[in-house]
Amino acid sequence: MLFAATEPMLRARASLRQELAGLERRVRQLAQDDPVCRRLMSMPGVGAVVALTYRSAVDDPSRFTSSKKVGPWVGLTPSRNQSGERDISGGITKAGDVNLRRALCQAATVMMHRGRSTWLRTWAVQVARRRGAKRAMVALARRISVILHRIWTDGTTFRSEIEVPQAA
């Protein structure tokens, strides 16, 4: 009786897993076919889903006069409440596309916990020591959005090492 009850559910689960695997292959192929997404995926922690989400949400990078304006557009900057002598800094504003914000935070989490060591990850770890892991994740997500915009507009790829200019 137990087999008769669970066997159809297991067949349905296997079918759903097969469909999901097909969708994942299609998403990866879409990202690989797009030259912008390929460049965006050169950053550690940014996969096909994050690259496609970023590309579709930003759509036209020339809308932003500066790459630094992408972070507030996504809603990854602290809110401020100013009145008279008060100046209170609150949580993030959560303006903009929630799916993009979620994808960037996921990329930041992956970079902080599983990514290879880069200058960006080192910076995030230092922020985490000073301000806490959650604030560091949001700060890293904001910085990822800025760097992705710059990669898109410049046509470059992510460089994991900073080139320090040498004095002559």
Side-chain angles (χ1 to χ4, degrees):
M1 177 132 165
L2 184 62
F3 178 76
T6 58
E7 209 270 324
M9 288 189 282
L10 290 174
R11 274 197 319 266
R13 180 180 178 268
S15 175
L16 286 172
R17 287 179 59 91
Q18 186 177 10
E19 287 295 319
L20 180 62
L23 287 171
E24 285 179 1
R25 275 193 302 275
R26 181 156 165 86
V27 165
R28 284 193 194 105
Q29 191 61 45
L30 282 170
Q32 285 298 322
D33 291 344
D34 187 7
V36 172
C37 288
R38 256 196 328 270
R39 286 196 315 270
L40 296 179
M41 289 189 305
S42 68
M43 176 178 269
V46 176
V49 173
V50 176
L52 286 169
T53 303
Y54 191 85
R55 178 155 166 75
S56 65
V58 173
D59 191 36
D60 181 17
S62 63
R63 290 190 300 160
F64 301 100
T65 57
S66 169
S67 294
K68 289 182 179 181
K69 294 187 178 181
V70 178
W73 178 76
V74 176
L76 290 171
T77 54
S79 62
R80 308 238 8 219
N81 186 356
Q82 294 176 323
S83 175
E85 294 179 9
R86 290 185 314 132
D87 185 9
I88 300 170
S89 182
I92 60 172
T93 60
K94 296 184 181 179
D97 190 352
V98 66
N99 293 319
L100 177 58
R101 188 169 50 255
R102 198 173 285 146
L104 289 170
C105 288
Q106 182 179 8
T109 303
V110 167
M111 185 183 286
M112 285 179 70
H113 297 291
R114 286 181 270 175
R116 64 181 189 260
S117 183
T118 63
W119 62 271
L120 195 54
R121 183 178 183 198
T122 304
W123 173 83
V125 168
Q126 291 171 352
V127 172
R129 277 194 215 121
R130 284 192 318 264
R131 305 285 291 160
K134 287 186 179 181
R135 286 186 177 162
M137 183 267 303
V138 171
L140 183 57
R142 183 173 52 246
R143 191 168 252 197
I144 287 172
S145 70
V146 170
I147 293 170
L148 290 179
H149 183 266
R150 182 54 48 198
I151 287 172
W152 191 352
T153 56
D154 289 352
T156 57
T157 58
F158 181 75
R159 293 180 301 223
S160 56
E161 292 88 27
I162 293 181
E163 294 143 10
V164 179
Q166 296 180 355

